[in-house]
Amino acid sequence: MEDDKFIPDLDMNVPVAYAAFEVVMDEEKKKAIDAIYVYANKAYCEMVGKDKSELMGRSFLSVYDNADEKWFDYCYEAAKGRQVRSRMYSREVGHWLEFEVEPAGEGRAAFIFMNVDMDHVEKMKLRQSSNTDDIIIRLAKIMNGGESYDKAVNHMLAELGNIIHADRLYILETDGKTASNTFEWCREGVKPEIDTLQNLPYDEYLGGWEKYLVRNTSLVLEDIGVLAADDPVDYENLKRQGIRSIMDSPIYDGGKLIGYIGADNYEISDAVNTQKILETISYFLGARMVNQKLLSRLDYLSHRDMLTGVRNRNSFMEKLEELEGLAHPAGIVFGDVNGLKRANDEEGHVAGDRLLRRASKAMQQFWGDEFVYRVGGDEFVALLPDISECAFYRKFEEFYDAMKAKENMSVAFGAQWAESGSHLNAAFNQADRKMYQDKKKHYHLCPKEIETEKVK
């Protein structure tokens, strides 16, 4: 390979950073995906802070963990025989560089680098940093203010959307299996997509994003066309929404990916570091998301019966107190499972639990989950606000006949309608008495034996 050693046609004694690369193409030869060092002069090594032995024969991606793949676009142009002059910020060396790239033989590219006016760059960076930090502080205050979780997130997205002039801002949440759009802000005239992005297969729609997080702290795609070959499902989904560019910063909980905060078709501005804003606010957002999930879980546990899944007595008493202050009608259906004591005694508590779950499920399916409560060991209540007397008793008759027709399950019921919230307590007691009469019919027993069955 000594004969193939690259010898640049340039005086390397001048203080100009110079490097040449073997360009690595994709299989279709349509884009450059890496570049291998074949030459670097002393000035270049000093600029990047590396010894020549650390560069020669190694690929650009292996040398720099934070490699900007934009360099490969310039490599591709040179490999195709075109000369390019441009300027960009090199995150690899931490400087703004003015450079010229030109062909250096077949499949090779040579770069000449010079630092641009650093005074100008520092002023620009200082202005950008100041603006960005002010924005982050403003958004953090919104997230940690006194607003509820939903209001705070929507407020923050609206504020950020007007700053970076994005078409759409959103929160995507995932459990690793599915992904859903839980919050969305859209610029005027932009069609909302939140309803179409629910419970999507994670691997199919977001899984392909993770590879971009290996080399960058966020997913940054200035042109979604790069997804067309490797991630066609995601590409078509984004294209359908009119998205040309996206930036999505991951949200973590203890190192576990739980979502993204993203921006579509955002404005690229020297005055604002959009990526820094998204990545910083993702920390505040992640903390609020985790806390909200915990609060929701605690609320669920305090208002749900763990055996049957219906709302519990605590939830019932809260709802009853709420309705008692209203001048609205309501209906109450009181149910008591027949034969629970016998099932527990003769078949064990597993059989008794199964009986309770069947009864609660039947009531949920007919009346709706939000209206059914377990208020005692074998007692269930359906509390139905804002229903007319005629409609209530008609529905109860339909329900009663359907329940009596069920096999392997028997429940005694009583129903009472109340014309306003102030009559609910009396209606509850009346429904209880009617249920007791229905239970008496079922057992054909004396009152004492019926009471024994009720008191477990």
Side-chain angles (χ1 to χ4, degrees), residues 126-142 159-160 163 271-273 276-277 280-281:
L126 182 62
R127 176 165 55 88
Q128 183 188 66
S129 177
S130 177
N131 289 348
T132 299
D133 290 344
D134 287 345
I135 292 167
I136 290 172
I137 291 171
R138 195 189 321 166
L139 298 178
K141 286 182 177 179
I142 293 174
E159 185 80 5
L160 180 56
I163 291 170
V272 176
N273 187 334
K276 181 180 177 182
I277 292 173
T280 304
I281 206 65

Side-chain angles (χ1 to χ4, degrees), residues 329-332 387-390 392-393 415-420 427 434:
I332 292 181
I387 187 170
S388 69
E389 182 176 16
C390 181
F392 172 69
Y393 284 115
Q416 184 63 41
W417 180 80
E419 62 181 352
S420 70
K434 290 181 178 180

Side-chain angles (χ1 to χ4, degrees), residues 238-261:
L238 295 173
K239 184 179 178 182
R240 174 188 61 78
Q241 299 173 57
I243 297 172
R244 302 178 301 279
S245 61
I246 62 172
M247 182 182 294
D248 286 85
S249 294
I251 303 169
Y252 294 104
D253 174 22
K256 179 183 178 182
L257 180 69
I258 60 172
Y260 289 89
I261 174 172

